[in-house]
């Protein structure tokens, strides 16, 4: 059992990457694996929700891949288990686990317009999605939404679906990830079930295909999608497509499919502003019943550049931590809990650190750069290090001078001027200095 679970963990880690794995999957324990059922123990509800939202069904799928069986996954919350009893009962499980299913991916019930916060970066895409949900097939067809990962494409596309289900329950909708679509095409061809495939995809009112960039390179899938598209389009059925880039940048997709994508409306979602990030955090916190102080919201928004999924992940992590230790979320706790997630910007940049980085890049020794030695190959790195020390630290000119073998403040000023002048006329030198500066900052 442990062996199967370890294999499964390795597979999941491969799928989601090490840091996500460590954050969200590592603390899941296995309780039992039977013929058709596995019971897993999860620290608390927030982990489950996060996994469910971000990688729906991943645990079940991975277990199935490893065992080649159809295993249903049941989660048990750790809190409700007395761990001692668990250890004693390991051989002889008696506990009736609470049933929380590993939900298959379909329209996330929480991905609605109500829960979508609007800001300048997404208002156009949002407005288009609204219109489409009100009159599917009539106005913008297809609707093509694109934007970077974690900016809300799946949410918005699902919201269209959820809205239509709510207001026009007799319309039939398919929402499909493009990988799944590809699998279905392949299976249909292999088992000569193409007519069933066609019956499924051509007798619907709304087709929503998520992350369409994944069908680039897949000739058969593109071919099938092209025909499905045409059939639906001619019948004025709504098509909604999402992608991480605009049609013209999806490299290996056929031109005729590209031109289909541009027939309707193309709407992009841009990275969120700080205000929007904060607003989304407050919204999520309200929905989850999490008390989120303002300063923490701003802290998270300033640390996570754009990916809203990561922003949400942090919030949930904080909530989980706060539940575990039984005290409310505050700024200090947030910094502590998320220290592995963020680069530590609060750590002041020191002259020593700058010298170290400069030495690495120029291939000289720390000892030399700090010493009085005046050789030619040391001049440039030393001047650059002085320049960056002035730019990136609060140290005074004379302190900086001292750190470089007891030079005076005039030498530091001279060094800075030299570096600035050279950066101005020598682009590649400028780039080296700027890259170094970034490297030290982040
Ligand atoms: P994408 O499909 O673009 O990678 P998702 O739609 O999966 O991104 O969004 C990632 C997470 O961020 C989801 O949990 C979603 O609810 C949330 N999210 C993104 N944009 C917004 C928004 N404007 N308002 C509320 N939540 C958002
Ligand atoms: Mg998505």
């Amino acid at each position: 059992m442990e062996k199967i679970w370890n294999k499964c963990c390795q597979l999941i880690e491969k799928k989601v990457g090490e840091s996500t794995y460590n954050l969200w999957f590592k603390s899941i324990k296995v309780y039992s694996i039977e013929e058709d059922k596995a019971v897993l123990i999860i620290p608390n509800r927030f982990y489950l929700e996060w996994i469910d939202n971000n990688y729906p069904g991943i645990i079940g799928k991975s277990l199935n891949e490893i065992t080649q069986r159809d295993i249903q996954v049941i989660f048990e919350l750790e809190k409700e288990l007395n761990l001692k009893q668990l250890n004693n009962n390991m051989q002889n499980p008696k506990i009736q686990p609470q049933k929380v299913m590993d939900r298959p991916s379909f329209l996330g019930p929480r991905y609605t317009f109500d829960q979508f916060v609007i800001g300048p970066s997404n208002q156009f895409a949002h407005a288009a999605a609204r219109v489409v949900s009100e009159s599917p097939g009539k106005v913008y067809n297809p609707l093509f939404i694109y934007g970077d990962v974690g900016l809300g494409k799946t949410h918005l596309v699902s919201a269209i679906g959820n809205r239509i289900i709510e207001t026009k329950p007799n319309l039939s909708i398919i929402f499909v990830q493009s990988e799944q679509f590809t699998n279905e095409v392949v299976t249909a061809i292999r088992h000569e079930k193409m007519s069933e495939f066609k019956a499924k995809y051509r007798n619907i009112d709304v087709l929503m295909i998520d992350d369409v960039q994944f069908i680039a390179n897949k000739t058969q899938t593109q071919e099938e999608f092209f025909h499905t598209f045409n059939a639906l389009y001619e019948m004025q059925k709504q098509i909604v497509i999402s992608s991480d880039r605009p049609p013209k940048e999806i490299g290996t997709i056929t031109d005729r499919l590209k031109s289909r994508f541009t027939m309707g409306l193309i709407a992009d979602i841009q990275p969120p502003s700080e205000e929007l990030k904060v607003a989304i955090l407050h919204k999520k916190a309200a929905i989850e019943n999490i008390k989120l102080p303002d300063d923490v919201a701003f802290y998270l928004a300033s640390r996570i550049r754009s990916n809203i999924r990561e922003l949400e992940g942090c919030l949930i992590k904080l909530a989980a931590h706060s539940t575990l230790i039984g005290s409310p979320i505050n700024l200090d706790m947030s910094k502590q809990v998320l220290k592995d997630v963020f680069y530590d910007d609060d750590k002041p940049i020191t002259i020593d650190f700058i010298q170290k980085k400069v030495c690495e890049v120029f291939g000289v020794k720390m000892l030399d750069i700090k010493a009085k030695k005046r050789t030619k190959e040391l001049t440039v790195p030393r001047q650059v290090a002085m320049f960056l020390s002035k730019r990136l630290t609060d140290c005074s000119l004379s302190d900086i001078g001292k750190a470089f073998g007891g030079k005076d403040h005039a030498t530091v000023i001279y060094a800075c001027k030299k570096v600035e002048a050279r950066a101005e006329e020598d682009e590649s030198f400028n780039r080296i200095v700027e890259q170094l500066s970034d490297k030290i900052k982040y």
Side-chain angles (χ1 to χ4, degrees):
M1 176 179 90
E2 291 288 340
K3 230 169 151 185
I4 297 179
W5 179 241
N6 283 342
K7 272 195 190 156
C8 181
C9 289
Q10 282 164 10
L11 185 62
I12 293 174
E13 186 171 351
K14 227 167 85 195
K15 290 180 183 170
V16 305
E18 193 189 333
S19 59
T20 303
Y21 173 80
N22 286 339
L23 208 55
W24 297 106
F25 294 91
K26 205 174 171 181
S27 44
I28 299 175
K29 300 190 197 89
V30 60
Y31 180 67
S32 68
I33 298 178
E34 289 162 33
E35 200 46 40
D36 58 351
K37 192 173 85 182
V39 179
L40 303 177
I41 301 161
I42 197 148
N44 64 46
R45 182 177 84 76
F46 294 110
Y47 283 77
L48 191 57
E49 288 206 352
W50 190 89
I51 291 172
D52 210 23
N53 281 333
N54 294 284
Y55 295 98
I58 187 171
I59 297 179
K61 275 182 232 155
S62 305
L63 266 178
N64 293 350
E65 276 171 47
I66 301 276
T67 58
Q68 297 294 321
R69 298 201 300 263
D70 202 9
I71 294 186
Q72 182 197 20
V73 179
I74 295 167
F75 289 103
E76 166 74 2
L77 301 183
E78 187 165 59
K79 216 171 55 190
E80 276 145 41
L81 272 184
N82 181 331
L83 272 177
K84 248 195 222 137
Q85 177 200 7
L86 173 74
N87 290 334
N88 294 341
N89 288 0
M90 219 40 167
Q91 265 72 32
N92 177 21
K94 280 189 211 115
I95 310 155
Q96 267 300 325
Q98 169 194 348
K99 290 209 169 27
V100 194
M101 298 300 176
D102 202 11
R103 225 190 303 130
S105 100
F106 188 60
L107 291 175
R110 300 184 313 146
Y111 286 169
T112 59
F113 284 122
D114 285 350
Q115 300 200 4
F116 192 82
V117 186
I118 305 160
S121 52
N122 61 25
Q123 66 184 13
F124 182 61
H126 171 266
R130 276 270 185 193
V131 170
V132 163
S133 73
E134 273 149 32
S135 35
K138 303 248 159 50
V139 197
Y140 305 130
N141 205 14
L143 172 62
F144 189 103
I145 296 177
Y146 75 90
D148 268 343
V149 59
L151 296 190
K153 301 179 296 291
T154 301
H155 187 141
L156 214 45
V157 173
S158 307
I160 298 176
N162 280 320
R163 181 88 188 133
I164 294 177
I165 289 175
E166 195 184 292
T167 53
K168 303 178 173 59
N170 46 4
L171 295 191
S172 62
I173 299 181
I174 291 186
F175 173 87
V176 67
Q177 293 290 330
S178 69
E179 292 110 314
Q180 190 196 330
F181 186 82
T182 303
N183 287 343
E184 289 184 39
V185 172
V186 173
T187 315
I189 293 172
R190 188 174 304 151
H191 300 291
E192 295 177 357
K193 296 242 166 80
M194 220 45 223
S195 55
E196 279 160 46
F197 176 87
K198 284 181 185 157
K200 174 175 173 190
Y201 278 98
R202 295 187 193 182
N203 292 316
I204 52 176
D205 301 294
V206 183
L207 174 62
M208 303 193 286
I209 180 153
D210 203 17
D211 285 323
V212 83
Q213 73 273 5
F214 291 127
I215 69 168
N217 271 331
K218 309 217 166 61
T219 329
Q220 274 179 333
T221 310
Q222 285 190 38
E223 183 72 19
E224 237 14 87
F225 185 56
F226 180 74
H227 294 303
T228 309
F229 186 104
N230 288 343
L232 292 174
Y233 186 81
E234 265 158 38
M235 294 185 288
Q236 291 190 13
K237 306 297 189 191
Q238 179 69 48
I239 300 152
V240 181
I241 299 160
S242 85
S243 166
D244 68 351
R245 64 201 88 169
K248 64 172 189 302
E249 283 172 27
I250 310 181
T252 46
I253 217 160
T254 60
D255 283 344
R256 54 183 196 165
L257 207 43
K258 261 185 225 179
S259 81
R260 289 295 181 280
F261 289 168
T262 49
M263 277 159 51
L265 183 73
I266 300 179
D268 66 333
I269 305 184
Q270 291 293 323
S273 63
E274 191 120 332
E275 290 89 339
L276 181 59
K277 284 186 270 183
V278 170
I280 292 174
L281 277 170
H282 279 309
K283 178 100 182 174
K284 300 275 174 194
I287 293 167
E288 295 284 347
N289 231 342
I290 298 168
K291 280 213 172 58
L292 177 71
D294 261 344
D295 55 350
V296 176
F298 276 102
Y299 174 68
L300 296 183
S302 69
R303 289 309 154 95
I304 300 281
R305 291 209 184 130
S306 63
N307 190 325
I308 296 168
R309 185 174 301 129
E310 280 174 16
L311 205 60
E312 221 177 323
C314 292
L315 175 65
I316 290 171
K317 192 159 196 254
L318 290 179
H321 188 80
S322 133
T323 318
L324 279 180
I325 63 167
S327 77
I329 298 176
N330 64 40
L331 192 57
D332 280 344
M333 176 238 260
S334 307
K335 287 183 178 167
Q336 179 62 25
V337 172
L338 300 171
K339 66 178 186 301
D340 303 332
V341 182
F342 302 138
Y343 296 103
D344 193 356
D345 276 12
D346 287 347
K347 181 192 74 196
I349 297 171
T350 60
I351 298 178
D352 202 59
F353 184 68
I354 294 174
Q355 289 172 327
K356 199 167 138 235
K357 289 289 160 192
V358 171
C359 287
E360 272 170 30
V361 168
F362 286 94
V364 294
K365 289 203 196 88
M366 272 288 260
L367 269 179
D368 290 343
I369 210 172
K370 286 185 182 186
K372 287 208 154 83
K373 238 178 174 174
R374 277 174 182 260
T375 55
K376 231 177 145 200
E377 64 281 6
L378 287 176
T379 312
V380 174
R382 194 182 276 140
Q383 288 178 342
V384 170
M386 285 182 179
F387 167 80
L388 290 174
S389 300
K390 175 162 172 279
R391 183 198 267 187
L392 301 173
T393 72
D394 294 328
C395 301
S396 70
L397 292 172
S398 64
D399 281 345
I400 295 174
K402 270 186 218 144
F404 289 85
K407 308 269 183 318
D408 60 17
H409 82 281
T411 313
V412 180
I413 293 177
Y414 176 76
C416 293
K417 290 219 167 105
K418 278 294 238 194
V419 171
E420 276 162 18
R422 184 163 166 197
E424 200 142 306
E425 61 193 31
D426 178 350
E427 182 45 40
S428 65
F429 178 75
N430 182 41
R431 196 167 331 121
I432 294 174
V433 174
E434 288 310 320
Q435 279 173 357
L436 246 168
S437 178
D438 279 350
K439 210 166 162 181
I440 292 163
K441 269 194 298 192
Y442 300 115

